[in-house]
Amino acid sequence: MKYSVNCSILLTELPLLERPAAAKAAGFDAVEFWWPFETSVPTDAQVTRFENAITDAGVQLTGLNFNAGDMPGGDRGLVSWPARSAEFLDNVDVVAGIGERLGCKAFNALYGNRIDG
């Protein structure tokens, strides 16, 4: 049986890119993450570092959130935010690429807060 740990809410005492290896050391074979970048479209180097942290740890990425905006600031997703729809669509391409390269097939798009209008 394969167990997965959400590295965005557990192992938070470690830097994000160290969490996949820590998860493996703790006995997990798989990891999932909320959106691990500050922007919807991170640089290629940022994406590569994230992907390498997972593959180097020898774990499978089993779940990944789309960018939900500034979660600590109260954002809860971009899907229902008309002014950020282009940003969400750009994020889809990034998420799909990560999923394709790492074999991840489960993604979570947070609907978000209700926007007037």
Side-chain angles (χ1 to χ4, degrees):
M1 181 178 294
K2 185 180 284 193
Y3 291 96
S4 180
V5 62
N6 186 318
C7 290
S8 292
I9 56 176
L10 295 175
L11 305 168
T12 57
E13 69 279 6
L14 299 171
L16 187 125
L17 296 180
E18 293 179 17
R19 295 177 198 171
K24 181 68 172 182
F28 292 95
D29 298 314
V31 296
E32 55 188 68
F33 282 87
W34 293 348
W35 187 242
F37 307 104
E38 293 187 20
T39 63
S40 289
V41 182
T43 67
D44 290 344
Q46 290 171 312
V47 171
T48 298
R49 284 192 296 273
F50 175 72
E51 292 173 349
N52 287 345
I54 292 168
T55 57
D56 291 350
V59 293
Q60 174 65 50
L61 181 66
T62 56
L64 181 64
N65 279 15
F66 290 87
N67 185 14
D70 178 14
M71 294 282 284
D75 296 347
R76 294 295 180 260
L78 304 182
V79 174
S80 64
W81 198 333
R84 294 182 77 178
S85 61
E87 179 184 355
F88 176 75
L89 291 174
D90 290 342
N91 186 233
V92 170
D93 290 336
V94 178
V95 171
I98 292 169
E100 183 177 354
R101 288 184 295 277
L102 296 182
C104 180
K105 298 176 183 172
F107 307 101
N108 184 34
L110 299 175
Y111 178 80
N113 296 320
R114 183 171 300 280
I115 306 293
D116 290 337

